[in-house]
Amino acid sequence: SGPTDECGDGECTGSETADSCPEDCDPCYDYDTEGDVNNDSDVNVLDIVMVVNHILGTELEGCQAEAGDVNSDGVINVLDIVSVVNIILGTGRTSDATSATMNIEGDELLISADGFISAIQMTLSHGADFSIDLTDDAMVAAHVTNGNTTTLMVVVPGSEEIFTASGDYDIDELIVANGSDVINVVEPSSFTLSTAYPNPFNPSTSLSLSMPTDGYVSVKAYNLVGQVVGVIAEGSMDAGSHTMTWDASNLSSGVYLI
């Protein structure tokens, strides 16, 4: 005679399947709390950290990967973080943002919105001299740098400041999500060159350039008699916000124009 079907005996035998007898045939059966990625019977910031780390490169496997796909769309991404945030915070929060605006002021990158922001994901490209300091005012803030690329995530930011950075960088990807979906981000609509920060400075200062469209850019530093003393950026540049640093360590103290 063949094996006896007895659901609940701890053995997946006979005609038992994951659908008909999940307690015996589904290896992830004990992951029974939605959003509990680490299966500790509690949904909290540790589960968000695991999903964030997966997106940043430390991939979840097996049952944890299945649990990390909280919205069951077949991929683990920022929307799964949104789902876990919703489980933790419930419905007692302010209304969701419908749009967000990104600005770069000196060495700070700011994102403002007209309501609740659940998560922000960004990918930056930069040189070897780049460094970044993420906000402390968030449920989770983490980043990983591989070569000349940095990916960062900030979950439930408490203020507009997302990070401060030194060195030039370009924003390759920006995703902002409210409590249910990805929302539109308004980027620069006009050509602007920010003031330098810090100012006064010694020996370097940073500034940001906002490009409404792709185009040719020339950013130079002049002394007060009109001589070019530094080429900060020159060449084709993509639309968006760009930061750049001017190192004037080879110049004497004085007033310069950019």
Side-chain angles (χ1 to χ4, degrees), residues 227-242:
Q227 297 170 318
V228 175
V229 295
V231 178
I232 301 171
E234 189 157 33
S236 297
M237 191 171 288
D238 296 334
S241 294
H242 308 268

Side-chain angles (χ1 to χ4, degrees), residues 32-217:
D32 56 357
T33 302
E34 183 182 22
D36 185 14
V37 183
N38 62 1
N39 201 28
D40 65 354
S41 301
D42 190 19
V43 182
N44 54 31
V45 69
L46 296 179
D47 300 294
I48 293 179
V49 169
M50 294 187 72
V51 179
V52 167
N53 287 340
H54 173 90
I55 295 172
L56 295 182
T58 306
E59 294 190 2
L60 298 172
E61 297 179 348
C63 295
Q64 289 185 339
E66 183 176 323
D69 183 15
V70 186
N71 63 0
S72 302
D73 64 355
V75 62
I76 301 176
N77 57 24
V78 68
L79 294 180
D80 296 295
I81 293 175
V82 169
S83 297
V84 180
V85 169
N86 288 340
I87 294 170
I88 295 172
L89 298 183
T91 58
R93 60 171 185 262
T94 58
S95 59
D96 281 345
T98 58
S99 66
T101 302
M102 182 189 71
N103 289 295
I104 297 176
E105 298 180 3
D107 59 353
E108 296 180 338
L109 185 140
L110 311 174
I111 293 180
S112 58
D114 58 355
F116 175 76
I117 291 179
S118 184
I120 297 168
Q121 179 177 334
M122 299 181 69
T123 302
L124 312 175
S125 58
H126 49 76
D129 60 345
F130 175 79
S131 64
I132 189 170
D133 185 16
L134 296 183
T135 178
D136 293 328
D137 189 7
M139 184 179 290
V140 177
H143 76 281
V144 62
T145 298
N146 292 312
N148 294 329
T149 300
T150 293
T151 302
L152 66 93
M153 297 209 66
V154 176
V155 180
V156 190
S159 65
E160 295 183 356
E161 181 186 335
I162 305 304
F163 65 77
T164 59
S166 63
D168 301 350
Y169 65 88
D170 292 330
I171 301 170
D172 297 334
E173 181 183 42
L174 172 59
I175 301 172
V176 178
N178 60 19
S180 60
D181 207 350
V182 173
I183 63 175
N184 181 55
V185 181
V186 178
E187 297 192 33
S189 59
S190 61
F191 180 90
T192 58
L193 185 66
S194 74
T195 56
Y197 181 86
N199 186 22
F201 64 94
N202 182 21
S204 63
T205 188
S206 296
L207 59 150
S208 62
L209 178 66
S210 298
M211 295 281 292
T213 61
D214 299 351
Y216 179 84
V217 170

